[in-house]
Amino acid sequence: MRVLVTGGAGYIGSVIVEELVGAGHTPVIYDSLVKGHTSALLPGVLVVRGDVRDTGRLVQVLREQQIEAVIHMAALIEVGLSVTNPDRFFENNVAGSMSVLRAMLDTGIKKLVFSSTAALYGDPVTLPITEEAPLQPNNPYGDSKLMVERILGWSAEPHGLTCTALRYFNAAGATERNGEMHEPETHLIPLVLQAAAEDRPVTIFGTDYPTPDGTTIRDYIHVADLAQAHLLALGRTEPGMRVYNVGNGNGYSVRQVVETARAVTGRALPVDEQPRRPGDQVATVASSERIRAELGWQPRFPDLHAIIESAWNWRQRHPHGYANMTGIDEG
Ligand code: UDP
């Protein structure tokens, strides 16, 4: 299948592109390259520089590249930034997704896989979280994704679209080629490994949460397992909208992540305890029963130690991130 991957030069997108190529699909990357890395990309994969809000450009690329399905990932993702700059999140994430939908409708493309998030559950009443749990995001990032899910929910049936929203829990880890390197970095595992590499303390945001050790709990999923979920979603054929959680079902606290990183890296990793970060959820752990049952998804790397080890190995191989890797030309 010829698949447009918006945000395909980012951390998760680049791994999806790797998996698509491995499975014999032809991905075309559409990325503003504001955050993405061209050097992360596979040689031979076309990269189009463009903003998702530019509907005309999208229509042109969908036509010229004879695209059959879209994986729409391009979005702003930092929870903290969304609290201070909500307008930017609604503009990029909601208006951007409307533009992708408009371009698909104008070109007759019927299949969409949308990157959604566990952030739309807010502070869940019960764990693990099923797809039926109340949707009450406690930050503009989560709300922007929920708005798009709602728009797709209303649009899929009348337009005969097959839409799949994948609600990501916490993507982590690396493949041989691609790992996590955001600018600015806000995510726990890369920051912990950066602290380990530089023999600095790691900051813990909030030690007074109502959890066994006072720190927040997350369900970390290996980025390659998350990418696999997209390939399975591309195989769906029934028109309509379907949402799936993608997580392992294991919750780890920030302190447990730090402890595991100590074991992986052999570094002391002292902690610096700071107040809570605005917008953070207390605990998110996925029930992934639905995606396992309906799409046959099976995580290959569910173990936190192995996930952190893959990230650490990638970091050791690429101490300067993507800066020194061989780049490719943009199309
Ligand atoms: N966190 C932390 N120290 C850091 C980075 C993150 O304690 O240096 C915490 C953060 O406040 C949150 C959890 O780790 O409670 C997971 O944060 P991350 O940004 O990785 O993921 P998300 O907020 O999307 O769940």
Side-chain angles (χ1 to χ4, degrees):
M1 212 183 303
R2 297 185 63 82
V3 185
L4 191 81
V5 186
T6 75
Y11 164 50
I12 302 171
S14 59
V15 178
I16 290 175
V17 168
E18 270 188 66
E19 299 274 344
L20 284 168
V21 170
H25 295 290
T26 305
V28 173
I29 292 163
Y30 187 93
D31 199 297
S32 67
L33 300 178
V34 172
K35 299 276 183 183
H37 311 270
T38 40
S39 47
L41 304 172
L42 291 175
V45 174
L46 180 66
V47 185
V48 178
R49 186 197 285 259
D51 192 303
V52 281
R53 290 165 295 179
D54 186 348
T55 316
R57 180 109 170 98
L58 275 172
V59 166
Q60 182 195 6
V61 175
L62 292 175
R63 287 215 174 101
E64 280 178 9
Q65 295 301 322
Q66 301 174 344
I67 298 296
E68 297 156 275
V70 176
I71 296 178
H72 175 39
M73 315 198 44
L76 294 179
I77 58 164
E78 303 90 352
V79 167
L81 187 66
S82 82
V83 175
T84 50
N85 296 275
D87 51 311
R88 287 186 55 202
F89 277 68
F90 296 120
E91 200 184 319
N92 267 276
N93 298 1
V94 183
S97 298
M98 278 305 304
S99 169
V100 170
L101 177 62
R102 180 75 262 148
M104 288 178 64
L105 295 176
D106 287 357
T107 53
I109 294 167
K110 301 283 188 195
K111 194 172 284 193
L112 175 67
V113 181
F114 173 64
S115 304
S116 189
T117 174
L120 49 71
Y121 294 115
D123 287 325
V125 184
T126 51
L127 296 177
I129 306 169
T130 68
E131 288 83 353
E132 272 83 34
L135 303 175
Q136 46 200 15
N138 43 11
N139 54 62
Y141 164 66
D143 216 359
S144 72
K145 293 286 184 176
L146 175 55
M147 287 176 194
V148 178
E149 279 200 8
R150 291 212 161 114
I151 290 164
L152 296 176
W154 287 110
S155 307
E157 216 176 286
H159 294 295
L161 306 177
T162 301
C163 291
T164 312
L166 299 177
R167 293 177 177 167
Y168 302 176
F169 283 64
N170 288 58
T175 62
E176 281 285 311
R177 190 179 174 86
N178 291 303
E180 189 167 13
M181 185 67 59
H182 295 104
E183 187 51 57
E185 189 55 77
T186 59
H187 292 111
L188 179 63
I189 290 179
L191 284 171
V192 167
L193 296 182
Q194 198 176 324
E198 295 168 6
D199 275 324
R200 285 189 293 99
V202 54
T203 306
I204 297 186
F205 295 121
T207 52
D208 59 348
Y209 283 98
T211 59
D213 69 16
T215 65
T216 60
I217 290 173
R218 295 289 182 273
D219 182 339
Y220 294 92
I221 171 173
H222 193 285
V223 64
D225 286 332
L226 183 54
Q228 266 306 312
H230 294 73
L231 270 75
L232 294 168
L234 281 178
R236 288 191 61 237
T237 51
E238 320 85 276
M241 168 79 166
R242 194 82 176 132
V243 303
Y244 296 98
N245 287 340
V246 198
N248 286 314
N250 307 316
Y252 294 97
S253 71
V254 174
R255 289 194 201 278
Q256 286 175 311
V257 168
V258 174
E259 198 49 56
T260 309
R262 286 187 184 122
V264 168
T265 64
R267 308 289 165 98
L269 272 174
V271 300
D272 169 25
E273 299 184 2
Q274 292 292 326
R276 295 181 180 195
R277 195 173 68 174
D280 274 349
Q281 296 161 274
V282 178
T284 55
V285 180
S287 159
S288 54
E289 289 307 306
R290 182 185 284 181
I291 191 166
R292 287 171 195 261
E294 294 185 12
L295 302 187
W297 180 76
Q298 276 286 346
R300 289 169 293 172
F301 314 102
D303 173 55
L304 182 67
H305 191 281
I307 292 173
I308 294 182
E309 198 167 39
S310 72
W312 180 243
N313 290 341
W314 184 82
R315 222 201 124 79
Q316 302 288 90
R317 285 197 304 276
H318 307 289
H320 307 290
Y322 289 105
N324 292 347
M325 291 175 72
T326 316
I328 58 163
D329 293 335
E330 292 164 41

